[in-house]
Amino acid sequence: KLIIIVKIKNIIMNDYDDYVKHSKKITDVKMSMSVLSWDQETKMPKNGSKFRAQQLSTLAEISHELSTHKKYGDLLNHLNSNENLSNDQKRNVYLSLKAFNKAAKYNSEFIIEESKLISNAFQKWRLAKDNNNFSIFEDSLTKLVDLRIKECEILGYDKHPYDALLNQYEPGLTTAQVENIFSDVKEFLVPFINKISKSNKIDDSFFYKKYSHDKQWDFGIELLKNMEYNFNSGRQDLSAHPFSTHFSPDDARVTTRIDEDNLSEMIWSCIHEGGHALYEQGILPENYGLPLGETISLGIHESQSRLWENNVGRSIEYWNCNYDSLKSIFPNQLSDVSVNDFYKAANSVKPSLIRTNADELTYHLHVLIRFEIEKELIEGKISVKDLPSIWNHKYKEYLNITVPSDSLGVLQDIHWSHGSFGYFPTYTIGSFYAAQFFNQAKVENPNLLNDIKDGNNKNLLKWLREKIHENGKRYDAHVLCEQVTGEKLDFRFFKKYVIEKYSNLYSI
Ligand code: CO
C-alpha cells in the first residue's frame, strides 16, 4: 500500500514539476521582452526601433503560444482537481489556470486587430498632441473604444461591462466599488481642497531655481540608498518618463527624469519608482516564474510607491533626516529655506491642469474625471467626438480651472492611446491602500516615525516585506488588505491622514 501511495505522489509531483517548468518558460520569455523594452526606453539608438518592434512582437507571439498551449491547459485542469497539493501549490495552479482560460478567450484576429489599432492610435495621439488638435486622434480612439466594448463581452462580467476592464488591472474590483470610493472622494476632498485653495500661501518658488543635473542625480541615488533599495539587484537610468521594471527579484530597475529648473520632479518620482522597485525586490526568488512570484495587482503596486512617496517621502520626519544633505549639495539655492519651509512646499496643494504634476490631494480629482469619462464611453452614453468639451466642463466643475487647450487637457495622458481603459482607478486605490497600510505599520511599530527621522527605514521595509511583498499573489488584494489591517479597504484612513497633515499645514 505504502509503495502505491509513494508512486501516486511521484506522479503528482512530476505533473506539478512539469507545470512549474512550463510556467517558468513563459516567464522567461516575458522577462526577456521587459529587458528589450527597458533598453528601448533607456539606451537604444534611434535607428534600432524598427527591428526592436519586430523582436518584441516575435517574443509576444511565442509567449502567447506557450500560454495557450493545449497540453498546458490539460495539465492545469488535471492539477486543479488534485487535492494532494499544498495550499501554495493549489494557489499557483488556480491562478495559472485562470490566466490560461482568459488567454484562450481571445482569437488571433482580435490580437492582431488590437495591436494594429494601438500602434495607429499611438501615432495619431502624438500628432494630435503636438498639433493641439483632438480631431486627428478622434477616429482611432473611437475604434479603440469600440474594440474595448467588444472585449468586455468576450471576457464577460456580472453587473457592469466596465468591470471586465477593471479586472485586467485590479482583479475583483467592480465599477460599483469604484463609484463608492469616488463618492467619498467627492464628498470630502472637493470642499477640503476648496478650503485649502482659499488659504494657500505656501511659497514653493525655490523648487524652480537652477539645480544642476549631476548633483540632482547624486542626491537621487542617495535617497534610493536611504530607502534600502538594493543596487546589487537593480540600477537607475535616465528616461523620458520615469518608470520601474523588473526581470526578477534580483534585477528590479528604476529610471528617473531630471529637469534642472524643477527640483521637486526628480525627488518624488525617484522615491515613487523606488517604492515600486522595493516591492519587486521583495518577491521571493524561489517563486520565480510562478504566480506566487508575482505582485498582486496594479493597485497594490501603486500602494507601495505612494506609501514611500507620500506617507514617508513628504513627511516632516523624512526631511528632518534628509534635508541637511540636500542643503549641503545646493547651499545657494536653499540658503534661506528652512526644513519646515521645505516640508510645506513639498505639500503645497494647488489645482492644476496636468495629472502627473498634481499634489497628493487634487490628484484624485484628475483620476475621478477619467473614471467618469471611461465608464460612460463603455456604456455608450457619450461619444469620443464630445470628449474635449466634456473634459473641459469637468475640470471646471471639480478643480475650478479653465483648460486652455486639448494638449493640456484631454490629450495629456498616454493611456487611451495604448488602449488602456480601467487603469486609472488603480492610482487612487493605491493611495488609499497606502494610507491604510502605513497606519497599520505605525500601530505595529510605535517607533516608526522616529526611525524615519533617524534615517533608519529597515524596520518599515521589513514590515512591508513580511506583510505584503513576500506573499506574491498568495492572496487577492482585498483579502491581503484584511489580513494586514484587519479590515477591507476603507477611505477613512486616507481621510484621517489628510485631515491630520493638512489641517496643520494650512491652519484650517
Ligand atoms: Co506608480
Side-chain angles (χ1 to χ4, degrees):
K1 250 192 177 169
L2 210 93
I3 296 170
I4 296 172
I5 291 170
V6 170
K7 263 193 180 163
I8 290 172
K9 268 212 157 150
N10 276 340
I11 294 167
I12 292 160
M13 287 325 288
N14 284 343
D15 280 352
Y16 190 79
D17 288 347
D18 286 347
Y19 149 66
V20 170
K21 222 169 124 185
H22 192 84
S23 182
K24 281 185 180 171
K25 207 184 259 183
I26 297 170
T27 304
D28 285 343
V29 176
K30 285 184 178 162
M31 293 297 105
S32 306
M33 290 171 72
S34 295
V35 178
L36 292 187
S37 303
W38 168 85
D39 174 75
Q40 184 168 278
E41 304 293 326
T42 54
K43 306 279 175 193
M44 188 183 76
K46 209 171 87 196
N47 289 346
S49 63
K50 186 181 143 203
F51 286 110
R52 180 56 49 86
Q54 181 186 310
Q55 290 149 0
L56 278 166
S57 112
T58 298
L59 288 176
E61 215 180 304
I62 294 172
S63 159
H64 185 72
E65 272 167 26
L66 287 171
S67 307
T68 54
H69 207 284
K70 192 184 170 304
K71 270 191 184 163
Y72 180 53
D74 293 344
L75 181 63
L76 285 170
N77 274 305
H78 178 66
L79 279 168
N80 195 42
S81 56
N82 188 328
E83 284 302 316
N84 295 316
L85 298 179
S86 72
N87 284 340
D88 278 357
Q89 288 173 330
K90 280 182 190 161
R91 178 77 179 164
N92 278 329
V93 170
Y94 165 78
L95 289 171
S96 291
L97 181 59
K98 211 172 139 192
F100 176 87
N101 287 336
K102 194 186 149 206
K105 285 182 177 173
Y106 296 96
N107 58 28
S108 50
E109 268 166 39
F110 183 94
I111 304 275
I112 292 164
E113 193 195 352
E114 181 185 41
S115 90
K116 268 192 203 155
L117 283 182
I118 288 174
S119 88
N120 184 264
F122 179 62
Q123 285 170 28
K124 289 285 166 62
W125 167 72
R126 278 228 295 237
L127 206 64
K129 197 177 173 188
D130 288 348
N131 291 288
N132 188 28
N133 182 355
F134 181 78
S135 66
I136 298 173
F137 184 42
E138 188 186 312
D139 185 49
S140 344
L141 184 58
T142 304
K143 285 182 180 141
L144 266 180
V145 170
D146 289 345
L147 184 86
R148 288 294 175 243
I149 291 173
K150 229 197 287 173
E151 190 178 15
C152 295
E153 300 307 318
I154 293 173
L155 289 168
Y157 52 84
D158 279 343
K159 293 224 166 71
H160 195 287
Y162 190 69
D163 292 352
L165 300 177
L166 283 172
N167 257 278
Q168 314 253 65
Y169 305 107
E170 197 64 26
L173 187 67
T174 65
T175 310
Q177 282 172 322
V178 178
E179 278 172 336
N180 265 334
I181 287 166
F182 277 122
S183 89
D184 287 341
V185 168
K186 266 196 255 185
E187 198 188 317
F188 167 67
L189 269 188
V190 174
F192 194 78
I193 290 168
N194 257 325
K195 259 196 234 169
I196 289 177
S197 303
K198 281 176 196 145
S199 76
N200 186 358
K201 289 181 189 72
I202 288 176
D203 177 18
D204 63 358
S205 58
F206 61 85
F207 276 139
Y208 308 101
K209 291 178 176 176
K210 204 86 186 161
Y211 293 89
S212 96
H213 178 280
D214 292 358
K215 286 180 178 173
Q216 281 200 52
W217 172 267
D218 292 344
F219 186 65
I221 299 283
E222 214 178 282
L223 290 180
L224 287 167
K225 284 183 181 160
N226 170 264
M227 13 183 338
E228 302 288 323
Y229 175 76
N230 181 356
F231 274 94
N232 288 321
S233 298
R235 52 179 285 132
Q236 180 169 259
D237 292 88
L238 293 168
S239 66
H241 299 280
F243 67 93
S244 64
T245 184
H246 68 280
F247 319 132
S248 77
D250 298 333
D251 193 350
R253 304 184 185 189
V254 290
T255 72
T256 193
R257 171 171 58 185
I258 293 176
D259 178 352
E260 293 203 312
D261 302 312
N262 179 0
L263 175 66
S264 66
E265 185 173 320
M266 184 286 296
I267 290 179
W268 285 284
S269 79
C270 209
I271 303 172
H272 180 97
E273 300 309 334
H276 278 303
L278 283 179
Y279 187 10
E280 296 292 349
Q281 288 186 340
I283 293 290
L284 296 177
E286 58 264 38
N287 290 327
Y288 172 87
L290 296 166
L292 257 61
E294 289 169 5
T295 54
I296 298 186
S297 66
L298 282 190
I300 298 294
H301 226 304
E302 196 67 9
S303 80
Q304 298 307 291
S305 56
R306 301 269 162 168
L307 185 147
W308 287 98
E309 178 194 350
N310 295 329
N311 304 82
V312 177
R314 290 185 206 271
S315 69
I316 185 66
E317 289 83 9
Y318 184 80
W319 288 105
N320 274 327
C321 167
N322 291 297
Y323 188 61
D324 281 349
S325 154
L326 179 65
K327 203 166 172 167
S328 73
I329 300 175
F330 299 110
N332 296 330
Q333 293 89 329
L334 299 171
S335 62
D336 53 359
V337 180
S338 72
V339 64
N340 228 27
D341 298 335
F342 188 87
Y343 164 65
K344 281 184 175 173
N347 289 289
S348 171
V349 173
K350 251 183 277 172
S352 62
L353 285 167
I354 306 294
R355 175 185 60 84
T356 53
N357 297 339
D359 57 81
E360 63 171 327
L361 301 192
T362 59
Y363 188 88
H364 302 295
L365 302 183
H366 291 265
V367 177
L368 163 65
I369 289 167
R370 286 150 179 81
F371 165 67
E372 288 186 347
I373 289 175
E374 287 188 353
K375 193 184 133 235
E376 298 206 325
L377 276 175
I378 297 301
E379 286 170 344
K381 276 193 184 153
I382 55 174
S383 66
V384 167
K385 71 171 184 352
D386 298 324
L387 284 192
S389 73
I390 293 169
W391 182 280
N392 297 352
H393 183 82
K394 286 186 186 288
Y395 266 76
K396 189 73 201 162
E397 186 186 346
Y398 292 132
L399 287 151
N400 196 26
I401 50 176
T402 305
V403 179
S405 71
D406 290 344
S407 295
L408 295 171
V410 67
L411 291 170
Q412 66 181 269
D413 290 313
I414 198 171
H415 300 59
W416 292 342
S417 78
H418 276 175
S420 302
F421 295 85
Y423 190 118
F424 284 116
T426 66
Y427 290 133
T428 284
I429 289 196
S431 290
F432 298 171
Y433 272 131
Q436 195 162 335
F437 289 149
F438 194 66
N439 178 73
Q440 189 64 25
K442 282 193 293 186
V443 169
E444 292 179 31
N445 304 275
N447 218 24
L448 191 72
L449 294 179
N450 275 325
D451 287 344
I452 293 172
K453 201 172 168 180
D454 294 340
N456 173 9
N457 293 313
K458 285 195 176 72
N459 288 333
L460 174 59
L461 183 60
K462 186 167 168 272
W463 188 86
L464 293 169
R465 288 264 197 266
E466 281 170 11
K467 302 283 173 175
I468 299 167
H469 303 176
E470 288 171 3
N471 282 309
K473 275 189 162 64
R474 184 173 284 128
Y475 310 108
D476 287 341
H478 68 100
V479 177
L480 178 92
C481 186
E482 284 198 60
Q483 292 239 352
V484 175
T485 69
E487 55 185 303
K488 290 195 187 98
L489 177 65
D490 196 314
F491 178 69
R492 76 169 200 280
F493 292 99
F494 183 77
K495 189 170 166 183
K496 181 173 156 246
Y497 159 73
V498 168
I499 290 173
E500 277 173 10
K501 185 173 174 180
Y502 289 90
S503 302
N504 220 326
L505 269 163
Y506 287 99
S507 329
I508 49 172

